[in-house]
């Protein structure tokens, strides 16, 4: 009986001690789950892409010389719009600081911007009906960029130098025979803006508008009729170009940056 009593007393003591220890334990603390990780698109790196779209150019001709002799006063031959498609590519580099994106880019396009008008100088200067025709067959841009990014969406403005290659042709309206021709590579400036969307790691698609300031230049057209090769006329030709392109780029760099 004495042993049974001692065992019972021991069990009671241990039970009481366990109850006291349990009471002294702090209540369980529930911690807040970590915030989700936001994927931030990174626009930094070299990129290479393709573009395609359309353009239009306003061409105004003023005759200042005919068959080597000055036209006094200079005679307005009229204007026309040269329109058509273009396709090409671009290569550049961008670096991002916070939400701001800076870059440089070179772009080149094959173009087919064509237009014509009946020359107002046909009767008083030439003595026959003539049509002035122009064509832009190449455009290049070298620009700097600054933009603002909302993760995978980037808006940017750009500006820099522009160059275009033009061909000008005089055509006998009655027979559609070319009677003189000239060509030039003309430099000027450009400004533009665009919106890019990163739709997959390293890939983006966007749309861009550019205006090219190409000014007014004097151009001497060469005679194509016998005796061919001599100066036919000199015209002061003014032109600007507007172009809209859809662009697809692949960027060589990390697609996202994880950020809490």
């Amino acid at each position: 009986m004495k042993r049974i009593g001692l065992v019972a007393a021991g069990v009671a003591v241990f039970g009481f001690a366990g109850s006291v220890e349990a009471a002294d334990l702090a209540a369980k603390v529930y911690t807040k789950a970590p915030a989700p990780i936001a994927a931030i698109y990174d626009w930094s790196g070299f990129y290479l892409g393709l573009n395609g779209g359309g353009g239009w150019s306003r061409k105004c001709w003023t005759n200042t010389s005919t068959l080597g002799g000055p036209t006094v006063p200079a005679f307005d031959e009229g204007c026309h719009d040269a329109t058509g498609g273009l396709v090409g590519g671009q290569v550049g580099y961008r670096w991002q600081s916070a939400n701001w994106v800076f870059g440089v880019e070179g772009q080149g396009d094959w173009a087919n911007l064509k237009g014509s008008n009946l020359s107002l100088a046909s009767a008083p200067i030439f003595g026959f009906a003539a049509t002035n025709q122009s064509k832009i067959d190449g455009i290049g841009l070298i620009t700097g960029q600054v933009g603002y990014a909302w993760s995978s969406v980037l808006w940017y403005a750009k500006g820099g130098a522009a160059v275009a290659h033009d061909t000008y042709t005089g055509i006998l309206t009655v027979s559609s025979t070319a009677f003189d021709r000239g060509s030039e590579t003309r430099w000027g400036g450009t400004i533009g803006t665009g919106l890019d969307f990163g739709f997959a790691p390293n890939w983006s698609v966007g749309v861009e508008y550019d205006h090219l300031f190409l000014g007014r230049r004097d151009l001497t057209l060469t005679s194509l009729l016998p005796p061919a090769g001599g100066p036919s006329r000199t015209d002061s030709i003014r032109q600007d170009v507007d172009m809209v392109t859809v662009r697809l780029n692949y960027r060589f760099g990390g697609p996202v940056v994880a950020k809490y």
Side-chain angles (χ1 to χ4, degrees):
M1 290 295 293
K2 185 181 287 187
R3 288 183 178 180
I4 293 174
L6 291 173
V7 170
V11 170
V13 170
F14 281 112
F16 176 76
S19 298
V20 172
E21 183 178 358
D24 289 341
L25 288 176
K28 186 175 181 180
V29 178
Y30 292 90
T31 59
K32 186 178 179 181
I37 297 176
I40 305 300
Y41 198 90
D42 181 14
W43 291 93
S44 298
F46 288 97
Y47 62 91
L48 183 68
L50 300 173
N51 72 77
W56 58 99
S57 174
R58 184 70 171 169
K59 310 271 194 177
C60 293
W61 301 42
T62 300
N63 180 269
T64 60
S65 175
T66 304
L67 298 177
T71 303
V72 182
F75 201 94
D76 183 8
E77 294 199 48
C79 303
H80 63 258
D81 293 322
T83 61
L86 46 88
V87 62
Q90 61 275 345
V91 59
Y93 179 79
R94 286 172 173 156
W95 60 97
Q96 184 168 352
S97 176
N99 293 89
W100 292 98
V101 180
F102 307 90
V104 292
E105 182 183 275
Q107 175 178 333
D109 288 88
W110 292 277
N112 188 31
L113 278 57
K114 297 174 66 176
S116 63
N117 68 284
L118 180 65
S119 172
L120 301 179
S122 292
I125 304 297
F126 305 144
F128 54 84
T131 297
N132 290 333
Q133 184 183 82
S134 69
K135 178 183 178 181
I136 298 177
D137 55 23
I139 294 174
L141 306 177
I142 303 172
T143 56
Q145 299 180 2
V146 59
Y148 193 87
W150 295 267
S151 189
S152 60
V153 178
L154 171 66
W155 168 82
Y156 61 90
K158 62 188 294 186
V163 61
H165 185 265
D166 300 83
T167 301
Y168 305 94
T169 306
I171 299 172
L172 297 173
T173 305
V174 67
S175 63
S176 299
T177 302
F179 67 89
D180 63 3
R181 180 171 292 132
S183 64
E184 66 170 347
T185 298
R186 185 180 298 202
W187 285 86
T190 183
I191 58 173
T193 186
L195 188 67
D196 278 359
F197 173 68
F199 65 91
N202 299 88
W203 288 95
S204 65
V205 64
V207 61
E208 182 177 293
Y209 163 77
D210 297 287
H211 180 80
L212 283 61
F213 303 89
L214 297 177
R216 182 178 289 275
R217 302 287 189 277
D218 290 334
L219 177 74
T220 298
L221 285 76
T222 301
S223 176
L224 301 177
L225 300 178
S232 172
R233 54 177 164 155
T234 298
D235 270 76
S236 176
I237 302 176
R238 182 187 181 279
Q239 67 165 322
D240 288 332
V241 178
D242 295 276
M243 49 192 284
V244 177
T245 54
V246 175
R247 297 151 53 94
L248 177 67
N249 287 329
Y250 179 81
R251 181 173 45 82
F252 302 89
V256 295
V257 176
K259 185 177 182 181
Y260 285 94

